[in-house]
């Protein structure tokens, strides 16, 4: 039995393959790497220990028996568990079968109960159906009785014209008849329906005849008038075919406006545009007369007063279009504007009086209310006062009225003027041309702004006048048309914006010999020493600043003008509105104005820089205060910059641009003149370094120099000054450095200037006053010490360091001047 148990345990271990990690044990026999020899040696390490071999063997056998007993108990226990599981499964299956049986019994009982209920309620359902059918039959018979009686009464009342009673009865009959739509196959029902339709037709014809008799279409006299019979007839017309109602309205309005067509025929003098007021006065009297005489005859929901006004507008638009085509040559702009103004006023009157619910045209385009601003194109737009035909500033400065609500009648009459708006466009072209000429003449007569006045640095008044006029033209035109006329008007705006920029702004900028910025023969022949150009007077500086401020205002306002034009024109035409070219023109005026201010200050500093380059710097014996040329430069800066800053107070960003451009112009020129200072002694270099530092401090303080309010200079400007003047200081520090040993001097130059240009190095050697032989060795050493340019794509970037610098360009210009002088 023990052998069989051992075999079973081995098979069980092979199946389970339990690792020691699952059941950890400290017994050496349980180790995976068990070695019997080592285990025996552990039990019997010496020969003397063999005396206990029997005791050890007995312990092992005892342990084996205990293990066998444990294994046997576990195996038998598992066998009993399997038997218990099978028994529980069988019991569950039996319980499920019993449950299915009980469910089936319940279902059978439910079916029997349902069948029993159906049998019980079968008779009750039959009684319910009978009751419902009986109720329906009684209701239908009652309706039939009512219908038959109502048709008889309707025919009798129609013959007697009892429209008041007919109105209520007809509606009831038609409501009852709706219940018999599914019974139209029955001859009697169909006959009653036909009688009702015949009565309706007879009523319609009879009512039309009554209205024709009361309001004959021929002639202007009205023998009939409003009556209770006609008022009741209108109530019936609401129930009858809508065409009856439309026919009544059409005939009444036609008869009501027949007098208008006679009075304002095309051949009548009163029909022309100069008497257009009489048309609108006539319809106003007619509307008042209608309200007094016929206001209670027609139902309120017919909106007869509005319908009469709308039909009048349609007729008027057609008649005006016809007469204007015939007499197109007689249309003048004042007459056209007068007619348009009176017409739009009348359309405004209609909008206040009526809701526009009878109009069949689409709703108007909604205009957004822009925010308030001093810019005319940002103001709250209201209906302009067009009664004054003269385009004078006094009219334009009047307070604006609040913006009126959307007008559903806008264009209902005034649309007829659109084909003739070319007269208005041509007139605006002429008026704007005269306005520009007047601006030019006024500027010549008044002259530039006077110093120490409120006009200095302010926007030119003509600029505001121009844009206010633009606004008035735009609003007028947009009220007449949002199509092609607006495009034509924007083209005229572009034309005169350019003319204003050329004639008023650019044309009045002070002229200089080098204002173009280009290189001319006269400038080449001039010696670059001394005063290159006459300095601007105080009046001229103020004028330049005023023109710059005006150009900035024009630039911003032109952008607003473009946005407003796009808002008012049809969406399909917005792409054709483009004032970018005109904005670029004003930007050019701004750039030219800044350049003139820079050139003026730059030219004022030129004599001082020339004096610096002509000083004998090798003879300077001691370092003192700043040199006279520095004082001269500072004096010119203190004279010009405060004036420019005060005049550009409203355009701070352009004052900053002026400072940046001056720094970019002055610093390279200072370095160029610095190279001309040769030879320089050690003391002379120290004096120049002191002067350079003084100029650096002045330039850093330039934006707020002479101002009571000290502001920190913009970072962009400070960066330019520090970079440029630090280079000048480094040049002087290199000049001050001893040229022995040569290697140290060259390395110091490369470190301080990071300049790999041999020409700049040559200039440094000239400033130090070295001999040609010493310079040659220095240049050779300099070339050897230059860092090797990288290969590949980086080579191009390193070669860019060898590109001509401003100093090289200046040298080339001097060579070109000498060549031209020799040939001339």
């Amino acid at each position: 039995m023990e052998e069989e148990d051992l075999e079973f345990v081995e098979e069980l271990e092979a199946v389970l393959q339990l690792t020691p990690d699952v059941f950890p044990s400290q017994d050496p026999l349980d180790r995976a790497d068990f070695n019997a020899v080592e285990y025996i040696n552990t039990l019997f390490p010496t020969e003397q220990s063999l005396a206990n071999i029997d005791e050890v063997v007995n312990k092992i056998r005892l342990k084996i028996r205990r293990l066998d007993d444990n294994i046997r108990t576990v195996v038998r226990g598992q066998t009993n568990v399997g038997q218990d599981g099978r028994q529980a499964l069988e019991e569950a299956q039996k319980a499920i079968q019993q449950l299915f049986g009980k469910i089936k019994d319940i279902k059978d009982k439910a079916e029997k109960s349902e069948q029993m209920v159906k049998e019980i309620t079968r008779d009750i359902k039959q009684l319910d159906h009978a009751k419902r059918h009986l109720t329906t039959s009684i209701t239908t018979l009652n309706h039939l009785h009512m219908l038959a009686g109502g048709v008889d009464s309707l025919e009798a009342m129609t013959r007697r014209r009892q429209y008041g009673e007919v109105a209520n009865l007809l509606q009831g009959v038609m409501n009852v008849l709706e219940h018999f739509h599914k019974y139209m196959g029955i001859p009697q029902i169909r006959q009653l329906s036909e009688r009702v339709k015949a009565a309706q037709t007879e009523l319609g014809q009879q009512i039309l005849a009554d209205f024709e008799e009361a309001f004959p279409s021929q002639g202007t006299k009205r023998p009939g008038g409003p009556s209770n019979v006609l008022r009741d007839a209108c109530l019936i017309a609401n129930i009858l075919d809508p065409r009856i109602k439309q026919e009544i309205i059409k005939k009444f309005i036609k008869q009501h406006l027949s007098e208008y067509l006679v009075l304002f025929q095309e051949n009548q003098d009163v029909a022309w545009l100069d008497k257009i007021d009489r048309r609108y006065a006539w319809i106003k009297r007619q509307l008042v007369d209608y309200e007094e005489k016929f206001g209670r005859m027609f139902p309120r929901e017919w909106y007869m007063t509005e319908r009469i006004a709308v039909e009048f507008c349609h007729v008027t638009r057609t008649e005006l279009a016809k007469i204007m085509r015939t007499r197109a040559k007689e249309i003048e702009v004042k007459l056209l504007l007068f007619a348009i103004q009176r017409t739009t006023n009348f359309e405004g009157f209609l909008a206040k009086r009526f809701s526009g619910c009878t109009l069949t045209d689409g709703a108007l385009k909604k205009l957004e209310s822009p925010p308030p601003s001093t810019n005319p194109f940002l103001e709250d737009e209201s209906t302009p006062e067009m009664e004054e035909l003269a385009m004078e500033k006094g009219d334009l400065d009047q307070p604006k009225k609040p913006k009126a609500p959307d007008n559903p009648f806008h264009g209902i009459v005034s649309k007829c003027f659109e084909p003739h708006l070319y007269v208005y466009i041509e007139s605006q072209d002429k008026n704007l041309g005269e306005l520009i000429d007047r601006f030019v003449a006024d500027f010549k007569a008044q002259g530039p702004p006077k110093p120490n006045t409120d006009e200095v640095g302010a926007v030119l008044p003509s600029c505001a006048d121009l844009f206010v006029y633009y606004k008035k033209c735009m609003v007028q035109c947009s009220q007449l048309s949002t199509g092609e006329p607006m495009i034509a008007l924007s083209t005229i705006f572009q034309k005169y914006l350019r003319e204003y920029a050329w004639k008023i702004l650019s044309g009045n900028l002070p002229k200089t010999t080098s204002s173009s910025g280009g290189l001319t023969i006269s400038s080449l022949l001039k010696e670059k020493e001394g005063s290159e150009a006459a300095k601007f007077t105080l009046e001229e500086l103020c004028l330049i600043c005023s023109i710059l401020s005006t150009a900035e205002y024009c630039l911003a306002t032109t952008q607003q003008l473009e946005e407003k034009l796009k808002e008012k024109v049809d969406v399909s035409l917005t792409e054709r509105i483009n004032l970018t070219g005109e904005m670029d023109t004003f930007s050019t005026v701004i750039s030219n104005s800044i350049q003139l201010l820079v050139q003026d200050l730059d030219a004022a500093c030129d004599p001082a820089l020339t004096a610096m380059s002509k000083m004998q710097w090798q003879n300077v014996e001691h370092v003192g205060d700043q040199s006279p040329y520095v004082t001269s430069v500072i004096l010119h800066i203190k004279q010009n910059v405060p004036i420019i800053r005060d005049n550009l107070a409203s355009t701070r960003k352009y004052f900053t641009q002026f400072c940046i451009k001056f720094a970019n112009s002055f610093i390279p020129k200072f370095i160029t003149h610095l190279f001309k200072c040769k030879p320089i002694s050690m003391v002379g270099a120290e004096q120049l370094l002191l002067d350079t530092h003084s100029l650096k401090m002045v330039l850093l303080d330039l934006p707020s120099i002479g101002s009571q309010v000290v502001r920190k200079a913009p970072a962009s400007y400070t960066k330019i000054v520090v970079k440029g003047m630090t280079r000048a200081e480094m040049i002087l520090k290199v000049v001050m450095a001893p040229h022995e040993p040569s290697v140290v001097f060259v390395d110091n130059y490369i470190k301080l200037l990071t300049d790999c240009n041999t020409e700049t190095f040559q200039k440094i050697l000239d400033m130090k006053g070295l001999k040609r032989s010493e310079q040659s060795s220095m240049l050779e050493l300099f070339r050897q010490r230059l860092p090797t340019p990288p290969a590949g794509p980086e080579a191009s970037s390193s070669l860019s360091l060898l590109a001509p610098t401003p100093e090289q360009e200046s040298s080339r210009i001097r060579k070109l001047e000498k060549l031209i002088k020799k040939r001339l």
Side-chain angles (χ1 to χ4, degrees), residues 97 262 369 414 423 431 440 458 473 511 556 596-597 616 682 721 779 802 821:
Q97 290 176 356
V262 175
S369 178
S414 57
V423 177
N431 290 341
V440 173
C473 295
K511 301 297 187 294
L596 282 177
L597 296 173
Q616 301 297 321
M682 179 65 70
V721 173
L779 286 171
L802 302 178
K821 288 179 181 179

Side-chain angles (χ1 to χ4, degrees), residues 105-312:
D105 292 342
I106 294 171
K107 183 178 179 182
D108 293 340
K109 291 179 180 180
E111 290 177 353
K112 291 179 181 179
S113 300
E114 183 181 2
Q115 186 66 29
M116 186 181 299
V117 170
K118 286 182 179 179
E119 291 176 358
I120 294 172
T121 58
R122 182 181 296 115
D123 296 336
I124 297 175
K125 287 184 178 179
Q126 290 178 355
L127 291 174
D128 287 342
H129 287 309
K131 179 181 178 181
R132 184 163 55 252
H133 293 161
L134 182 61
T135 302
T136 303
S137 300
I138 294 173
T139 303
T140 304
L141 287 174
N142 288 335
H143 286 166
L144 181 61
H145 176 71
M146 292 169 59
L147 181 62
V151 171
D152 293 338
S153 300
L154 180 64
E155 292 174 344
M157 292 178 182
T158 300
R159 289 191 294 270
R160 294 193 297 270
R161 282 182 166 79
Q162 297 175 343
Y163 294 143
E165 292 80 358
V166 169
N168 296 325
L169 179 61
L170 178 60
Q171 185 64 52
V173 169
M174 294 179 66
N175 292 336
V176 173
L177 188 61
E178 290 180 358
H179 295 283
F180 291 94
H181 281 320
K182 55 186 176 181
Y183 304 117
M184 287 300 171
I186 301 174
Q188 291 81 359
I189 302 298
R190 186 170 58 253
Q191 183 180 4
L192 287 173
S193 175
E194 291 174 353
R195 289 176 62 188
V196 171
K197 291 181 181 179
Q200 288 178 319
T201 303
E202 183 179 355
L203 274 172
Q205 295 174 353
Q206 190 169 298
I207 290 172
L208 289 176
D210 291 343
F211 270 93
E212 179 66 26
E213 181 180 353
F215 305 102
S217 58
Q218 299 296 329
T220 58
K221 294 183 179 181
R222 300 173 184 170
S227 65
N228 293 333
V229 174
L230 296 180
R231 182 178 60 190
D232 295 337
C234 291
L235 297 177
I236 297 175
N238 273 334
I239 307 173
L240 299 176
D241 190 339
R243 288 178 293 182
I244 303 298
K245 170 184 172 182
Q246 296 299 329
E247 187 68 20
I248 293 173
I249 294 173
K250 181 179 178 181
K251 287 186 176 181
F252 179 81
I253 294 176
K254 183 178 179 182
Q255 195 276 339
H256 212 72
L257 296 178
S258 58
E259 180 183 353
Y260 173 71
L261 294 174
V262 175
L263 293 176
F264 294 91
Q265 287 184 359
E266 185 178 352
N267 57 357
Q268 298 293 326
D269 181 63
V270 75
W272 188 228
L273 300 179
D274 58 345
K275 297 181 178 60
I276 198 170
D277 275 343
R278 299 188 182 183
R279 294 176 179 267
Y280 305 132
W282 182 89
I283 189 60
K284 289 177 182 179
R285 291 194 302 271
Q286 293 300 313
L287 293 178
V288 172
D289 181 65
Y290 166 82
E291 290 289 349
E292 293 177 353
K293 294 182 179 179
F294 308 101
R296 297 182 180 181
M297 187 176 74
F298 294 101
R300 183 182 298 273
E301 63 270 16
W302 283 24
Y303 302 103
M304 284 299 295
T305 310
E306 181 176 328
R307 292 181 185 276
I308 293 172
V310 170
E311 182 62 23
F312 166 81

Side-chain angles (χ1 to χ4, degrees), residues 385-511:
E385 294 296 324
M386 296 174 61
E387 298 194 7
E388 298 293 336
L389 298 177
M391 310 294 186
E392 296 183 357
K393 182 178 178 182
D395 295 333
L396 299 176
D397 290 341
Q398 292 178 355
K400 302 299 179 181
K401 294 183 179 180
K403 183 179 177 181
D406 292 339
N407 182 359
F409 297 93
H410 173 63
I412 191 171
V413 179
S414 57
K415 192 175 182 180
C416 66
F417 298 109
E418 184 170 339
H420 305 278
L421 286 181
Y422 67 89
V423 177
Y424 173 76
I425 300 299
E426 292 174 356
S427 171
Q428 297 308 321
D429 189 0
K430 180 181 178 182
N431 290 341
L432 282 169
E434 295 175 351
L435 190 64
I436 294 295
D437 293 339
R438 179 167 64 84
F439 290 161
V440 173
D442 292 346
F443 192 91
K444 290 181 179 180
Q446 297 173 3
K450 303 299 185 293
N452 302 321
T453 64
D454 294 337
E455 299 177 358
V456 174
V459 175
L460 298 178
S462 59
C463 175
D465 292 345
L466 177 66
F467 282 106
V468 169
Y469 189 85
Y470 272 9
K471 177 194 173 183
K472 182 174 182 179
C473 295
M474 180 181 64
V475 174
Q476 285 179 345
C477 189
S478 65
Q479 290 180 337
L480 307 178
S481 172
T482 56
E484 289 296 333
M486 284 292 290
I487 300 297
L489 186 65
S490 68
T491 303
I492 292 177
F493 286 174
Q494 290 176 278
K495 172 184 175 182
Y496 288 102
L497 283 174
R498 291 192 298 269
E499 286 204 10
Y500 186 85
W502 294 334
K503 293 182 178 180
I504 308 299
L505 301 182
S506 294
N508 288 301
L509 283 174
K511 301 297 187 294

Side-chain angles (χ1 to χ4, degrees), residues 79-97:
T79 303
N80 294 335
V81 169
Q83 292 176 356
D84 293 342
R86 284 191 295 272
Q87 184 178 357
L89 179 61
E90 292 175 358
E91 292 177 356
Q93 289 175 348
K94 291 179 181 179
I96 291 172
Q97 290 176 356

Side-chain angles (χ1 to χ4, degrees), residues 499-557:
E499 286 204 10
Y500 186 85
W502 294 334
K503 293 182 178 180
I504 308 299
L505 301 182
S506 294
N508 288 301
L509 283 174
K511 301 297 187 294
T512 62
T513 55
S514 58
S515 60
S516 62
L519 193 64
T520 62
I521 296 297
S522 60
S523 64
L524 289 174
L525 293 179
K526 272 188 173 184
E527 291 293 338
K528 293 285 183 176
E529 300 174 357
S531 179
E532 181 180 343
K535 189 176 184 299
F536 289 141
T537 62
L538 179 59
E539 290 79 4
E540 290 174 330
L541 287 177
C542 295
L543 173 61
I544 295 173
C545 293
S546 292
I547 289 176
L548 192 153
S549 300
T550 303
E552 184 204 21
Y553 176 84
C554 291
L555 176 62
T557 313

Side-chain angles (χ1 to χ4, degrees), residues 490-750:
S490 68
T491 303
I492 292 177
F493 286 174
Q494 290 176 278
K495 172 184 175 182
Y496 288 102
L497 283 174
R498 291 192 298 269
E499 286 204 10
Y500 186 85
W502 294 334
K503 293 182 178 180
I504 308 299
L505 301 182
S506 294
N508 288 301
L509 283 174
K511 301 297 187 294
T512 62
T513 55
S514 58
S515 60
S516 62
L519 193 64
T520 62
I521 296 297
S522 60
S523 64
L524 289 174
L525 293 179
K526 272 188 173 184
E527 291 293 338
K528 293 285 183 176
E529 300 174 357
S531 179
E532 181 180 343
K535 189 176 184 299
F536 289 141
T537 62
L538 179 59
E539 290 79 4
E540 290 174 330
L541 287 177
C542 295
L543 173 61
I544 295 173
C545 293
S546 292
I547 289 176
L548 192 153
S549 300
T550 303
E552 184 204 21
Y553 176 84
C554 291
L555 176 62
T557 313
T558 301
Q559 184 177 2
Q560 297 295 335
L561 173 63
E562 181 184 52
E563 294 173 0
K564 282 298 176 184
L565 285 170
K566 287 184 177 181
E567 288 180 10
K568 293 187 176 298
V569 78
D570 291 338
V571 178
S572 59
L573 301 176
T574 52
E575 295 298 328
R576 295 173 61 182
I577 304 290
N578 187 357
L579 304 184
T580 305
E582 289 65 40
M583 288 186 276
D584 292 342
T585 301
F586 290 118
S587 297
T588 302
V589 174
I590 293 173
S591 299
N592 291 342
S593 301
I594 295 175
Q595 188 62 33
L596 282 177
L597 296 173
V598 171
Q599 287 179 1
D600 179 63
L601 183 55
D602 205 21
C605 296
D606 279 347
L609 296 180
T610 302
M612 176 190 77
S613 62
K614 289 185 177 182
M615 288 181 64
Q616 301 297 321
W617 293 101
Q618 74 276 18
N619 297 330
V620 177
E621 297 179 354
H622 61 275
V623 179
D625 294 335
Q626 63 186 23
S627 301
Y629 74 89
V630 176
T631 305
S632 176
V633 171
I634 295 174
L635 178 62
H636 288 302
I637 290 176
K638 288 185 176 181
Q639 287 177 348
N640 281 35
V641 173
I643 297 173
I644 296 172
R645 182 182 58 246
D646 293 342
N647 284 290
L648 296 182
S650 60
T651 57
R652 295 288 303 177
K653 64 178 180 179
Y654 292 118
F655 174 69
T656 302
Q657 287 187 20
F658 159 76
C659 296
I660 291 174
K661 286 190 176 183
F662 174 72
N664 282 327
S665 174
F666 175 80
I667 294 175
K669 185 179 292 187
F670 173 74
I671 293 176
T672 300
H673 283 77
L674 196 62
F675 282 130
K676 295 179 181 180
C677 300
K678 54 186 178 181
I680 304 176
S681 64
M682 179 65 70
V683 179
E686 292 177 357
Q687 181 64 48
L688 275 173
L689 186 60
L690 175 64
D691 296 341
T692 302
H693 181 73
S694 298
L695 286 174
K696 179 179 179 181
M697 291 298 102
V698 172
L699 290 176
L700 288 175
D701 190 45
L702 181 110
S704 60
I705 194 169
S707 174
Q708 295 179 354
V709 180
V710 179
R711 295 183 180 179
K712 187 178 180 181
S716 56
Y717 170 77
T718 303
K719 183 178 179 180
I720 293 172
V721 173
V722 171
K723 182 178 179 181
M725 296 306 290
T726 300
R727 174 176 171 80
E729 292 175 340
M730 292 300 104
I731 291 173
L732 292 172
K733 288 182 179 180
V734 172
V735 173
M736 292 170 59
H739 60 278
E740 295 293 344
S742 303
V743 175
V744 176
F745 176 77
V746 171
D747 290 343
N748 191 33
Y749 169 84
I750 295 174

